[in-house]
Amino acid sequence: MVIPVHDVNPARRTPYVTYALIIANFVVFLATPGVASSLTGGSGPSQLAQLCHLQAFLDHWAVVPRELIHGQLPATVPTGDVAVGATGRGCAVGPPGYDKSPQLSVLTAMFLHGGWVHLLGNMLFLLIFGNNIEDRLGHIRYALFYVACGGAAAYGFALVNADSGDPLIGASGAIAGVLGAYLVLYPRARVWVLVPFLIFLPLRLPAWIVLGFWFGLQAVYSSGRGISEAGTVAYVAHVVGFLTGMLLAWPLRRGTIPPPQPRGLLWGRRAHHGW
């Protein structure tokens, strides 16, 4: 997988919404139960307590396909407490102490992440590609576009996994929509990427290659090919979000100012000139 680091596509206005989304995602992540133990290396009873807290937190705020599609709210949920059972210590369950709206969880789940790699990867893509989509749409329309793509991704994943009780979290579906819109509006924009080939090789590639390759991988993985059954990435949500972003951006192709067009594919020392 190539790693994007910069695009040659200057924006005319400050991407306040993109910056706000990035800050909000970091704030929510740092406030998520379990993050403290991952930073301090907690173990034993402390780690179990954090895990139980995290399970209760996700059950409350994450998208659960079974709840979203069938409206089947569980009679018992993790309470966040540690209990001792016949098989030893574990997470206690009990009647929910809250009223959950499955539809609202589609929004709240967009700000939850399962770890630092998940969060930083999403925010990197949003920072690089989100500013130009916000510049093209305007702040308000961009915010609505982001939510629409994330919502479509969550519903698409839930429909495919309608009986699943596993939580769905992450901004990936919404950011996939941003990538889809970028491919439609700026297919020829040049993107600096790092390609792992013995070392990280810097290349400047057209956006249609970078994003087309990314989408192709998501489509292949969503079919179950090329990954193990233990995979936990919601590739279907990525595919649905990406296609939604392409569809919403399609009417805006006319009138979109093309980005500057540096010549050629560069690598090595020459690749560092003109970032």
Side-chain angles (χ1 to χ4, degrees):
M1 186 63 188
V2 298
I3 303 172
V5 293
H6 177 65
D7 66 334
V8 186
N9 192 2
R12 298 166 300 173
R13 65 184 104 190
T14 304
Y16 293 114
V17 175
T18 296
Y19 291 158
L21 288 170
I22 291 172
I23 292 171
N25 275 280
F26 271 100
V27 169
V28 172
F29 180 73
L30 292 174
T32 299
V35 171
S37 64
S38 69
L39 294 174
T40 60
S43 61
S46 170
Q47 189 176 37
L48 177 60
Q50 289 282 1
L51 176 62
C52 294
H53 234 145
L54 177 60
Q55 287 185 354
F57 183 82
L58 293 182
D59 194 83
H60 187 180
W61 299 110
V63 171
V64 178
R66 186 168 54 208
E67 298 173 357
L68 186 61
I69 301 303
H70 301 302
Q72 297 176 352
L73 297 177
T76 59
V77 297
T79 63
D81 298 323
V82 177
V84 179
T87 59
R89 294 168 60 86
C91 298
V93 296
Y98 52 81
D99 293 324
K100 179 178 181 180
S101 167
Q103 292 74 31
L104 181 60
S105 70
V106 171
L107 177 62
T108 57
M110 294 182 202
F111 295 90
L112 305 176
H113 289 84
W116 282 107
V117 173
H118 189 198
L119 173 68
L120 294 176
N122 276 346
M123 296 304 102
L124 175 64
F125 275 80
L126 181 58
L127 179 63
I128 293 172
F129 299 105
N131 63 331
N132 294 108
I133 304 305
E134 182 174 353
D135 187 39
R136 181 67 181 89
L137 297 179
H139 304 307
I140 302 300
R141 285 202 300 174
Y142 172 71
L144 296 175
F145 167 88
Y146 183 91
V147 172
C149 291
Y155 271 97
F157 178 85
L159 285 169
V160 174
N161 302 274
D163 296 322
S164 173
D166 296 330
L168 172 69
I169 61 173
S172 304
I175 295 171
V178 171
L179 303 186
Y182 197 100
L183 179 60
V184 168
L185 298 177
Y186 306 105
R188 298 180 61 196
R190 297 306 171 100
V191 180
W192 287 100
V193 299
L194 297 177
V195 180
F197 183 76
L198 300 180
I199 60 173
F200 282 102
L201 181 67
L203 291 175
R204 188 176 65 198
L205 301 174
W208 67 267
I209 292 180
V210 177
L211 300 180
F213 178 69
W214 182 88
F215 177 73
L217 285 180
Q218 310 309 303
V220 170
Y221 292 161
S222 68
S223 68
R225 294 190 293 270
I227 56 173
S228 68
E229 293 183 0
T232 58
V233 179
Y235 293 107
V236 171
H238 299 177
V239 171
V240 174
F242 192 93
L243 294 176
T244 301
M246 290 185 68
L247 181 65
L248 293 176
W250 198 266
L252 301 176
R253 289 178 304 147
R254 293 179 180 272
T256 298
I257 301 174
Q261 291 296 307
R263 295 182 178 180
L265 306 180
L266 303 183
W267 66 89
R269 291 181 180 177
R270 294 177 63 200
H272 296 283
H273 178 70
W275 273 34

